[in-house]
Each structure stands twice: as C-alpha cells, then as structure tokens.
Amino acid sequence: MNANSNIEISVVVPTFNEEGNVALLASELKTVLDQLQISAYEIIFIDDGSSDASLEVIKGLRATDRRIHYLQFSRNFGHQHALKAGLDHARGRAVISLDADLQHPPALLSEMITLWRNGAQVVYTRRQDKQQIGLFKKWSAKLFYWIANKLSEVPIEEGTADFRLLDRCVVDAIKGFKESHLFLRGLIPTLGFKQVGIDYQAASRHSGQTKYSFGKMFQFALNGITSSSAKPLYFSIYLGLFFAFCAFIYGCYAIYVALFTNAAITGWASLIASVLFIGGIQMILIGIVGIYLGKLFVQSKQRPTYIIESNSIQAIQHHEA
Ligand code: UDP
Ligand code: MG
C-alpha cells in the first residue's frame, strides 16, 4: 500500500493515435470528477507509441493542468501492456481504466465511484450493444466469449471491456503478476475480492479508426484463451481418440467390403481425403502446443513487458515481502 498518497482516484487511459480524442476525454473526465468532489485525482495517458500528435496534445493539456500525466512508450506495446503500465504507475486509492475514444462514457464514473465508496473492490462494466457496434464485431465478440467460457474455469462475462474501477488492494495484487502475455479481462475475475458489475451503452468512436483489425482481434482472442486456460492442450487427446475410433470403424468396413462384396478397393480418393484431414487436424494441434511453447519461451526471457521513454510520473517503489 502506498500510505502517503493522498490521491483518491487515478484514471488510466491507454492511448494509441488518439489525437482527436484526448482533449475532449480529458475535459469530460475533469467535469465528472469535479462534480463528484474528488479531493485529488490524476489522469494518466499512456502513449502506446502513437505516430500522430497524441503525446503533444497530452503535454499541452498537462501544461495547463498538472493533474494530467503521461507515460510515453518507446514503441507500440499493445493495449494490455499500456493498461498494466498505467496500473503500475497510478497512485490513487482507486484506479479507473477506460479507452481514449469516448466509447466508454465518462459519465459512468460517478456510479462506479459510488459503488466503490460503498465497499466494492472491483467495479466492472458490461457493454449493452447498440447498432453503433458493427454486426461483425458483435458476433465475433459473442463467439469469443462463448469459446473462452467453455475453456476456462472462471467465466468471463460477455461484453466486459477494459473499462473498470479497481481498488488499491486489487491493483497491488495485479502488480504481483509478472505475466508477459497479460489478459486482464481473464485475470481479474479469478482474483476474488468484492466484484460488482454495471451495464452501459457503448457510444461510437469519437474520432479516428479502431486499432483492432480482424487480424488483431483474432490474435487478441487467441491470446485471451491461451492465457487463461490450458484446456486447448488437452484437445488433442479427445480428437485423437475420436479419429482413431473413426479409423477403426472405417477399417472394419473396408475388411467387410474386401471379404464379402465383389467391389475391389477402388477408393484411394477417400484415403487421401482422410489422410489430409487428419494431417490438418494434427497441424492445428501442433500449432496450439506451439502457442503455449512460444509463451513459455517469451516468459522465460523475463523481459520487461513495456519500455518507458519519458514520463511525468514516477512509479511508486514497493518493498517486496
Ligand atoms: N490502444 C492501445 N494500443 C494499441 C491499440 C489500442 O493503447 O495497440 C488503445 C486505444 O487508443 C484505445 C483502446 O486501446 O484507447 C481501445 O482501442 P480501440 O478503440 O481501437 O478498440 P475497439 O474499441 O475498437 O475494440
Ligand atoms: Mg474503441
């Protein structure tokens, strides 16, 4: 615990090419936080290697308001690492994370903070879909949560995003996780603590483009699933058993055809088809093993998960027990 911090709320915003959004977001956040009469707060923008003027805009905001801080990454490390950096550097007694593009309405902060003041330690949010979210995004997200929940021991609620409030004790717990492939959405529900969910209507992106292309979303989903569960590794056993059983039945049929009918063995096509099919399945399974092996490899190097080039805020030094 950082006992000497008198900052009540830290707001953490991963920012990647959001020059058109940061100023408006900062002013909306300030309005909400001032209305709530928060004694002291800080807004930390994590510039995740933006190539536009995001950082200059943030520095400009900081020139007029010292409660605004920035962390500049040396390159793009990704949303989850930007979030982790924000949690590592935040000093508040509660930390709220939200996206820079105003899809996460700052107005919801008052409800979150009220719940926190009433004892909640995690306030997470559930997105209620509206048309603004593309049909494709909506259905791919649904599919992801369905698969992820089939595979993991602790369910992840559908529609949860990285828009949440965490009490200081939860933030300190997360800091202890040295995972190189962090997936906070899968991790936080497993932590325990007093967790409360609230619903909100997602707004549409204020300015700029989404940073999650289909490829990135697929990667994110794969990372999410393989970060929170080892079950995909066991697939091979069931699939292997299933195909061995099919092969056995087919073998019996082939013997029957050879012995009791006059039809000669004509079908090399079916043979090739089944060989290719099983070959494909094997490659998928080797790929799954490969993903876990790759993660072990990266983790074993113990590299820092992000590099800060410049910042306006120093990480609090913790004395490890
Ligand atoms: N973001 C980031 N690094 C990245 C990609 C995204 O920090 O590599 C930030 C981005 O600036 C935004 C948030 O993560 O604040 C969510 O990104 P986006 O709005 O593009 O995702 P979507 O809402 O489309 O899922
Ligand atoms: Mg967005």
Side-chain angles (χ1 to χ4, degrees):
M1 269 296 268
N2 181 36
N4 41 26
S5 163
N6 51 15
I7 295 176
E8 190 174 3
I9 302 284
S10 297
V11 182
V12 163
V13 191
T15 309
F16 179 48
N17 295 341
E18 306 279 10
E19 59 181 0
N21 293 323
V22 285
L24 180 63
L25 179 69
S27 83
E28 286 198 13
L29 284 173
K30 284 199 281 188
T31 310
V32 173
L33 292 166
D34 288 337
Q35 265 170 11
L36 286 168
Q37 298 180 330
I38 306 291
S39 54
Y41 61 85
E42 61 183 4
I43 302 173
I44 307 172
F45 288 96
I46 300 94
D47 176 45
D48 187 11
S50 297
S51 53
D52 68 358
S54 298
L55 188 64
E56 283 69 52
V57 177
I58 297 162
K59 283 181 176 169
L61 296 170
R62 177 164 168 74
T64 56
D65 188 341
R66 307 302 282 176
R67 292 172 299 189
I68 291 177
H69 286 277
Y70 64 89
L71 299 170
Q72 181 198 4
F73 279 4
S74 60
R75 62 166 169 86
N76 180 253
F77 280 88
H79 182 193
Q80 294 292 301
H81 297 304
L83 268 174
K84 179 67 165 37
L87 296 182
D88 288 344
H89 288 78
R91 297 168 297 183
R93 290 198 293 278
V95 182
I96 298 172
S97 57
L98 81 173
D99 285 359
D101 57 7
L102 294 137
Q103 283 189 302
H104 297 159
L108 214 65
L109 260 59
S110 64
E111 198 181 338
M112 292 172 123
I113 291 168
T114 309
L115 284 166
W116 171 64
R117 283 177 172 159
N118 289 333
Q121 290 164 307
V122 175
V123 183
Y124 62 91
T125 60
R126 283 173 300 234
R127 185 177 73 202
Q128 302 295 301
D129 282 327
K130 279 207 301 194
Q131 280 78 8
Q132 271 107 329
I133 289 147
L135 211 61
F136 174 72
K137 179 135 196 160
K138 195 167 144 182
W139 285 103
S140 59
K142 264 201 188 317
L143 184 70
F144 166 70
Y145 284 109
W146 185 78
I147 295 175
N149 285 331
K150 280 273 171 283
L151 292 177
S152 66
E153 287 83 27
V154 179
I156 309 173
E157 269 195 66
E158 197 181 312
T160 54
D162 290 301
F163 179 25
R164 62 173 84 76
L165 178 149
L166 301 173
D167 184 76
R168 169 58 38 196
C169 60
V170 184
V171 175
D172 287 342
I174 293 171
K175 281 188 184 176
F177 284 76
K178 306 286 181 218
E179 292 180 38
S180 46
H181 295 90
L182 194 66
F183 185 63
L184 285 170
R185 247 171 264 187
L187 176 65
I188 289 171
T190 69
L191 294 178
F193 296 107
K194 193 165 179 297
Q195 310 213 4
V196 182
I198 53 178
D199 297 333
Y200 73 103
Q201 299 281 337
S204 49
R205 198 168 228 293
H206 174 67
S207 148
Q209 293 268 309
T210 175
K211 275 85 201 173
Y212 281 99
S213 58
F214 175 73
K216 252 191 155 177
M217 246 152 63
F218 188 73
Q219 243 178 12
F220 187 66
L222 216 54
N223 182 36
I225 290 167
T226 56
S227 295
S228 30
S229 168
K231 277 190 194 166
L233 281 175
Y234 310 139
F235 267 3
S236 49
I237 298 170
Y238 301 116
L239 272 174
L241 282 174
F242 174 72
F243 285 110
F245 180 72
C246 292
F248 174 73
I249 301 284
Y250 191 73
C252 293
Y253 169 72
I255 291 169
Y256 166 79
V257 170
L259 293 183
F260 302 107
T261 71
N262 290 327
I265 305 299
T266 51
W268 77 274
S270 61
L271 190 74
I272 293 293
S274 51
V275 166
L276 287 181
F277 184 57
I278 293 177
I281 299 284
Q282 276 173 336
M283 279 184 209
I284 292 173
L285 295 172
I286 291 171
I288 293 176
V289 176
I291 293 174
Y292 284 97
L293 199 62
K295 288 192 173 185
L296 280 175
F297 172 68
V298 172
Q299 187 83 50
S300 73
K301 288 192 285 192
Q302 302 236 327
R303 291 187 178 172
T305 53
Y306 56 85
I307 298 168
I308 291 177
E309 190 177 323
S310 71
N311 63 356
S312 65
I313 189 170
Q314 292 299 320
I316 304 158
Q317 292 304 310
H318 283 265
H319 301 286
E320 312 262 331

